[in-house]
Amino acid sequence: MNKGTGLVKSLKLHQVVFMGLAWMTPMIFFTVYGVAYEASSGMMAAAYVTAFIAIFFTAYSYSLMVKAYPVSGSAYTYTKRAVHPMAGFLVGWALLLDYIFSPIIAILTFGIFMHTEFPSIPVFVWIIIMNIILAIVNIVGIKSAARVSGMSVLVQIGFILIFCILVAKDLLAGGTGASSLFSLTPFFGEHIALSAVFSGAALICFCFLGFDAVTTMAEETIDAKKTIPKAIFLIVIIAVTMYTAISYLTQLAYPDFTFTNPDNAAYNLVHLVGGNLFSSLFIMVLMIATFTQGVSSVTSVSRFLYALGKESILPGKIFTSIHPKYKTPFANIVLVAIISFSAVFISLDTAVMFVSFGALTAFIFVNLSVIAHYYVKMKKRSLKDTCFYLIFPLVGASFIGWLLTLLDKHTLTAGVIWVAVGFTYLFLKTEWTKAKERKMALSFHQTAIKKNIVR
């Protein structure tokens, strides 16, 4: 029985998996379908498998670090404790891009697809409505988050299963029986472009985000050192199975599929598969998924800002303020809502790129944290340990680092500028703190001299 005001360890394996999948949002496949299709030149199945390989090594590193530090904080905490506080700040600052742009993606997705369903209402109207609703819900707070997340995930998986069945039915109807369902073409096509596959993989790593988010639940999970690693691998395996299955089947069934607007390409695909009725069902399921993703994203970024404020990385008086009635970080939520209004001006692919930059940067440092903690500090250097604590994380860091370089040049430039701004802020803050400490020390010294003179 837990005493005091600490977090209660109540989450079981299936609850952690559901919450991770809810944060990931299985319907994210359709959200970024057009952008991912263009980035991978249509070779999405190969791109998802490639992304999975990179993510697998990183997932392994996360599973090791949560055993070492079974506390909330995820990549930021791991890097800060295992590598260096300044490196931890770098990861935390980069993760801000991930967290800030995640709700923007949810809001933008809502606006795009609602405008597709109701063309007479502009996208920006839906964006404003969704943003206000998410802010209100997060300020007031919601109950039974795990149950709601679980129901949302089941609805999404159910839709994906129906989608795959309908596509398989089209393949069987237009092919040569069951043999038409089996082909290596989606993975090893005659005109496959490896550069396009890797570029697509760099972008769609975004679709796997969620496995890492469950590490923040370590303090609320029963036997976190065993449960969280299992949950991480289950989430990644479930995700790659769904994403690859959809990509594989659609590539076989509709090899010549084209679209004019990548933002709503998925709607065109769904309409091709199931017609008007299925398209309406798609919009409904997507809205459910988008809402839960949006609530989760705003919750995550507001709490992350709270954590940074608590550690004095950001101004504590602002970012640690709690609403007296609802006990939520009111100021942070309002700030996120203000920033999220930029969804009116930002394209979906730009938002996805920024999230990918933040996530991939964090992934690199989690892999390096394994080396720093286990191989360097704990000196686990036997042949077996070298493989697990040096080679595996090096492969993961190298693969992720390479994918990071494949992001759009404008995204990389903006990301580097963002990190430079972070370091400038850290430098100025450090210098201001030192100056304040010197001033206090001088004041204390002068006071002491005056007291001696009086005596």
Side-chain angles (χ1 to χ4, degrees):
M1 183 176 176
N2 293 335
K3 296 181 179 181
T5 57
L7 297 172
V8 178
K9 290 185 176 293
S10 59
L11 295 177
K12 298 180 181 179
L13 178 61
H14 71 280
Q15 293 172 313
V16 176
V17 171
F18 271 128
M19 293 182 76
L21 287 173
W23 202 99
M24 178 183 289
T25 311
M27 290 291 284
I28 197 69
F29 174 90
F30 296 101
T31 302
V32 301
Y33 177 81
V35 177
Y37 189 96
E38 288 187 337
S40 62
S41 296
M43 300 300 297
M44 291 179 62
Y48 272 110
V49 172
T50 302
F52 167 72
I53 294 171
I55 291 297
F56 179 83
F57 285 102
T58 301
Y60 174 74
S61 290
Y62 267 98
S63 71
L64 291 177
M65 292 311 296
V66 78
K67 291 177 182 178
Y69 303 108
V71 295
S72 301
S74 192
Y76 166 69
T77 298
Y78 305 154
T79 308
K80 179 182 177 181
R81 295 192 183 184
V83 182
H84 192 274
M86 186 170 288
F89 172 82
L90 168 64
V91 171
W93 192 261
L95 273 175
L96 271 177
L97 281 180
D98 178 354
Y99 282 108
I100 287 173
F101 277 89
S102 288
I104 290 176
I105 289 174
I107 293 166
L108 187 55
T109 300
F110 181 87
I112 290 170
F113 285 99
M114 287 302 286
H115 175 66
T116 302
E117 188 73 3
F118 305 100
S120 61
I121 303 177
V123 174
F124 75 86
V125 174
W126 295 114
I127 288 175
I128 293 171
I129 292 172
M130 181 64 162
N131 196 17
I132 293 173
I133 291 174
L134 290 180
I136 293 173
V137 169
N138 272 277
I139 290 171
V140 175
I142 56 173
K143 297 180 179 180
S144 305
R147 185 180 301 173
V148 172
S149 297
M151 291 175 62
S152 173
V153 168
L154 289 176
V155 169
Q156 293 175 65
I157 292 176
F159 177 86
I160 289 171
L161 286 174
I162 295 172
F163 178 87
C164 289
I165 291 171
L166 291 175
V167 176
K169 184 180 177 182
D170 285 349
L171 272 173
L172 291 172
T176 56
S179 60
S180 61
L181 293 174
F182 302 97
S183 173
L184 294 177
T185 302
F187 304 103
F188 306 102
E190 294 181 5
H191 305 291
I192 186 172
L194 290 177
S195 60
V197 170
F198 290 128
S199 295
L203 187 147
I204 59 183
C205 277
F206 160 75
C207 295
F208 288 92
L209 300 185
F211 81 88
D212 56 317
V214 299
T215 58
T216 63
M217 305 173 195
E219 294 180 59
E220 299 165 89
T221 302
I222 299 172
D223 196 4
K225 290 186 178 182
K226 291 183 179 179
T227 304
I228 296 294
K230 288 180 182 178
I232 287 173
F233 287 111
L234 280 173
I235 291 167
V236 171
I237 290 170
I238 291 171
V240 74
T241 300
M242 288 190 297
Y243 300 152
T244 306
I246 307 171
S247 302
Y248 172 84
L249 290 171
T250 52
Q251 280 179 240
L252 286 180
Y254 317 109
D256 301 319
F257 177 70
T258 58
F259 50 86
T260 55
N261 184 1
D263 285 350
N264 63 3
Y267 183 85
N268 297 332
L269 176 65
V270 171
H271 189 272
L272 177 64
V273 172
N276 292 329
L277 181 61
F278 195 57
S279 298
S280 298
L281 177 63
F282 166 70
I283 293 295
M284 184 181 72
V285 174
L286 190 67
M287 291 309 98
I288 294 172
T290 303
F291 178 75
T292 53
Q293 180 198 4
V295 170
S296 177
S297 297
V298 174
T299 300
S300 297
V301 66
S302 61
R303 270 61 176 182
F304 187 65
L305 290 170
Y306 177 84
L308 295 181
K310 198 173 180 180
E311 296 201 8
S312 298
I313 291 177
L314 295 175
K317 289 184 179 179
I318 298 173
F319 291 94
T320 60
S321 60
I322 299 296
H323 194 282
K325 180 179 179 181
Y326 300 114
K327 307 301 181 183
T328 52
F330 173 79
N332 296 352
I333 294 169
V334 172
L335 176 62
V336 172
I338 293 171
I339 295 173
S340 295
F341 279 121
S342 63
V344 173
F345 313 103
I346 295 174
S347 65
L348 186 60
D349 58 336
T350 299
V352 170
M353 286 288 189
F354 278 126
V355 170
S356 296
F357 177 88
L360 292 176
T361 301
F363 289 174
I364 290 172
F365 278 93
V366 170
N367 282 296
L368 296 179
S369 295
V370 171
I371 299 172
H373 178 76
Y374 289 98
Y375 194 76
V376 177
K377 291 183 178 180
M378 297 186 68
K379 297 182 179 181
K380 290 182 175 292
R381 299 174 184 174
S382 66
L383 183 61
K384 180 181 177 182
D385 290 341
T386 298
C387 182
F388 288 151
Y389 304 131
L390 179 64
I391 296 176
F392 277 16
L394 269 180
V395 171
S398 301
F399 208 157
I400 294 294
W402 181 39
L403 292 180
L404 182 62
T405 64
L406 296 177
L407 291 176
D408 179 81
K409 290 182 180 179
H410 297 295
T411 305
L412 290 174
T413 302
V416 170
I417 292 173
W418 173 256
V419 173
V421 169
F423 272 122
T424 302
Y425 168 77
L426 179 63
F427 174 77
L428 294 175
K429 183 178 182 300
T430 302
E431 290 300 310
W432 181 81
T433 302
K434 288 180 179 178
K436 186 177 180 181
E437 290 175 349
R438 286 195 295 267
K439 186 177 180 180
M440 290 178 63
L442 180 61
S443 177
F444 178 79
H445 181 66
Q446 291 174 341
T447 302
I449 292 175
K450 288 180 180 179
K451 286 183 177 180
N452 288 330
I453 292 174
V454 171
R455 288 175 183 176

